[in-house]
Amino acid sequence: MTGYEVRPDVETVTLLGARVTVTGAAALLAAAQDGPVELLAGGDFPAPVREVRCTVRADSRDGRQVHRFEAYLRADAPLPGAGLFALGLAGPVGLLLAQRLAARGGDGPAAAVGRVAAEAGRRLGLRPAGAALAEAPRDQAGRTVLRVAEEAGLRPEVSHDDGGTVRVRAEVPSAEVTPAHLTAMLGVVLQTVRELAGDTPEPTLLRGRSYTVGQRAAAAAPRSAAVTLDQVGGLADVVARFREVAVSFRHPQAMARWGARRPQGILLYGPPGTGKTMLARALANEIGADFVEIRTPEILDKYLGGSERNIKRIFREARRYRRPTVMLFDEFDSIISYAGAGGDAASQAVNAVAGIFKQEMNTLIEENPDVIVVATTNFPQRVDASLTRSGRFDLKIAIPAPDESGRAEILAKMIRELIDRHERPGFRMFAADVDPAALAADTPGLTGADLREVLRRVQLAKALREATEGAPPAPISQDDLREAVAGLRRG
């Protein structure tokens, strides 16, 4: 199954007594190139810690690309007093903070707190000023965590505010970042949790707790709403073009500097079930845009002049959008298809709608460049060429039925998505013999929608069997999938 593995790399490590499961660490670091990736959010943490978040994102610093790790830990209101000891940070992480505060110098409150904390640490034997991590403090476990981070090239910086929020930051050159840096950062975050909770030099409060890293944050969201370009299989060229569109939205200054204009419209055409609507939703999520779908009944009206008023209203509202928006006209041909001929009333009405659509598209991007129109059709020959010319629809992309390698990629991503959503300790959804490449060879002519229907049928069969027998049946096997394919072909 080379290239079509359905189970991502999963590593489970023990950090300071806690069991931490990291799923697809390399993929998480790669995804950080496109924006912040949530590594750790929520979880059961000991009091007074009530919120922990950790992210990684790629950024530029002094002309070089770096991966920036950032963690935010929020504790209940500090105890009376000020500074890191009021927050409970009296171990290795706290002394990093003390040194940071003391290094500011001057006579301000922060510097004073830093000097007091550093002196207190020296007297308590936690860490002499300027000592290497290997020399202190007595918290052996915490010292080891920070030493591992330093040896990996991860040099965390710690800060805090009076409201009880502690921030931990670290950077690694993107060319050098590895999953080991991710694990090291998690260790520093959990050590900060320990210190805020007043844990003893030997980890006790985190013992037996479990944390998951890399689980898709949107796993509970409906598939259609949560779909991303990463989930699109078999259309590498299309995905690459959509990523370029997303980049144009995320970097308006570069666009303005060169006087560049992003595409205003995208026409997607091809057979039914090839993922055209899904691509439009994925583009919206890639941009971070709102998604507005315009359906045929919202435009076509049986009363004279109603359809024209509806299309004008839709574009009038689009000009008022204040956030990036992908506006989808699904089954475009059913809305404005015409051949430019025909003298009956119906043909004239359709021609009028198409004419207004052209007028509205002519000025949309100048009046609101944050809106991009996507239209999909199974019958491009029914759409007049004047409607889809460049300047209105700058990108016209064919979405073909997937070939064998495309079907294998689609199956692998669909199965991986189901595993991410539904598998839990003690419950295995798919058997080890499931082979997307072999199944793709058995499914010529099937589209992505057909393949999803195959999976739906197998899931339903397994669920009904458990419901009637009272116990979970065996995981979904390759034979189960082949049988579902045969059933789909029979109708």
Side-chain angles (χ1 to χ4, degrees):
M1 288 200 302
T2 304
Y4 303 115
E5 296 291 341
V6 298
R7 297 183 186 278
D9 294 332
V10 178
E11 181 184 11
T12 300
V13 296
T14 300
L15 295 174
L16 299 167
R19 185 174 183 269
V20 180
T21 301
V22 183
T23 302
L28 293 174
L29 295 174
Q33 298 283 355
D34 297 324
V37 173
E38 196 84 61
L39 298 178
L40 187 65
D44 179 26
F45 295 98
V49 180
R50 55 187 171 88
E51 182 182 7
V52 177
R53 302 185 70 87
C54 183
T55 62
V56 60
R57 68 173 300 166
D59 206 348
S60 59
R61 182 181 178 90
D62 300 328
R64 62 173 185 158
Q65 193 80 0
V66 298
H67 268 59
R68 178 172 296 161
F69 295 91
E70 297 184 340
Y72 301 85
L73 301 90
R74 192 179 304 277
D76 290 329
L79 299 172
L84 69 161
F85 283 99
L87 285 173
L89 289 172
V93 172
L95 291 171
L96 286 179
L97 175 57
Q99 287 187 336
R100 178 182 176 87
L101 293 174
R104 294 182 182 178
D107 298 321
V113 169
R115 289 193 294 271
V116 170
E119 177 63 18
R122 185 187 67 78
R123 293 182 180 180
L124 291 172
L126 291 174
R127 181 174 183 174
L133 280 172
E135 299 176 12
R138 290 182 299 181
D139 184 347
Q140 178 68 32
R143 182 181 67 181
T144 300
V145 163
L146 265 68
R147 184 178 66 246
V148 168
E150 275 198 352
E151 289 174 351
L154 196 73
R155 293 176 174 79
E157 295 183 354
V158 188
S159 61
H160 85 283
D161 60 30
D162 294 336
T165 298
V166 178
R167 294 175 173 82
V168 183
R169 296 183 177 90
E171 293 180 354
V172 179
S174 295
E176 302 172 12
V177 70
T178 67
H181 293 105
L182 188 154
T183 304
M185 180 65 181
L186 295 172
V188 175
V189 172
L190 292 180
Q191 173 61 22
T192 309
V193 170
R194 286 187 60 220
E195 295 184 38
L196 285 170
D199 203 3
T200 59
E202 290 303 317
T204 57
L205 289 179
L206 295 181
R207 191 169 298 156
R209 298 175 189 263
S210 296
Y211 304 103
T212 301
V213 176
Q215 189 173 15
R216 190 176 290 113
R223 178 184 59 82
S224 60
V227 67
T228 66
L229 290 177
D230 289 334
Q231 294 171 256
V232 176
L235 295 169
D237 291 343
V238 177
V239 169
R241 297 184 77 176
F242 271 34
R243 290 198 193 280
E244 290 180 356
V245 173
V247 168
S248 73
F249 270 86
R250 289 199 294 265
H251 297 277
Q253 292 181 342
M255 300 291 290
R257 183 177 297 114
W258 290 92
R261 183 178 70 85
R262 69 173 64 92
Q264 170 173 298
I266 302 174
L267 178 69
L268 303 177
Y269 61 93
T274 51
K276 297 183 290 295
T277 302
M278 182 185 72
L279 276 165
R281 290 185 181 275
L283 176 63
N285 288 329
E286 188 77 9
I287 295 172
D290 293 336
F291 182 79
V292 177
E293 183 172 0
I294 310 300
R295 301 180 184 274
T296 304
E298 297 179 51
I299 296 179
L300 300 186
D301 193 311
K302 64 180 180 179
Y303 296 105
L304 183 64
S307 300
E308 295 92 319
R309 285 192 296 272
N310 289 339
I311 197 72
K312 288 182 178 180
R313 172 185 54 78
I314 288 167
F315 275 92
R316 183 169 61 249
E317 292 173 355
R319 286 174 169 79
R320 296 172 181 168
Y321 293 149
R322 291 295 171 260
R323 282 176 41 81
T325 301
V326 171
M327 190 163 64
L328 172 67
F329 289 86
D330 210 1
E331 298 182 352
F332 189 50
D333 54 282
S334 69
I335 300 173
I336 49 75
S337 62
Y338 80 113
D344 61 346
S347 296
Q348 292 176 8
V350 172
N351 285 346
V353 170
I356 293 172
F357 187 94
K358 288 190 289 185
Q359 294 171 11
E360 297 290 349
M361 285 288 287
N362 287 344
T363 57
L364 176 62
I365 196 167
E366 285 77 15
E367 297 185 26
N368 192 348
D370 284 338
V371 175
I372 186 165
V373 174
V374 178
T376 69
T377 178
N378 302 330
F379 308 102
Q381 68 277 9
R382 296 182 183 175
V383 181
D384 191 273
S386 66
L387 271 167
T388 59
R389 67 164 174 77
S390 298
R392 292 180 182 135
F393 287 92
D394 302 298
L395 298 181
K396 293 175 275 291
I397 304 174
I399 311 297
D403 59 13
E404 184 174 323
S405 63
R407 292 193 300 275
E409 185 181 355
I410 291 169
L411 282 165
K413 291 192 174 188
M414 286 180 176
I415 294 172
R416 193 178 302 135
E417 179 187 358
L418 291 172
I419 289 173
D420 288 347
R421 289 175 181 273
H422 300 293
E423 283 200 356
R424 298 291 183 270
F427 173 67
R428 190 177 179 92
M429 191 173 190
F430 288 88
D433 71 338
V434 169
D435 186 344
L439 192 63
D442 296 336
T443 54
L446 297 194
T447 66
D450 294 328
L451 297 175
R452 190 169 291 281
E453 173 62 13
V454 167
L455 291 171
R456 187 197 69 81
R457 292 186 180 200
V458 174
Q459 291 172 261
L460 178 60
K462 291 290 183 180
L464 292 176
R465 185 171 177 182
E466 177 177 341
T468 55
E469 296 181 358
I476 296 169
S477 67
Q478 190 79 351
D479 286 341
D480 292 327
L481 293 168
R482 288 196 183 101
E483 184 178 340
V485 169
L488 182 69
R489 292 196 185 281
R490 287 193 300 267

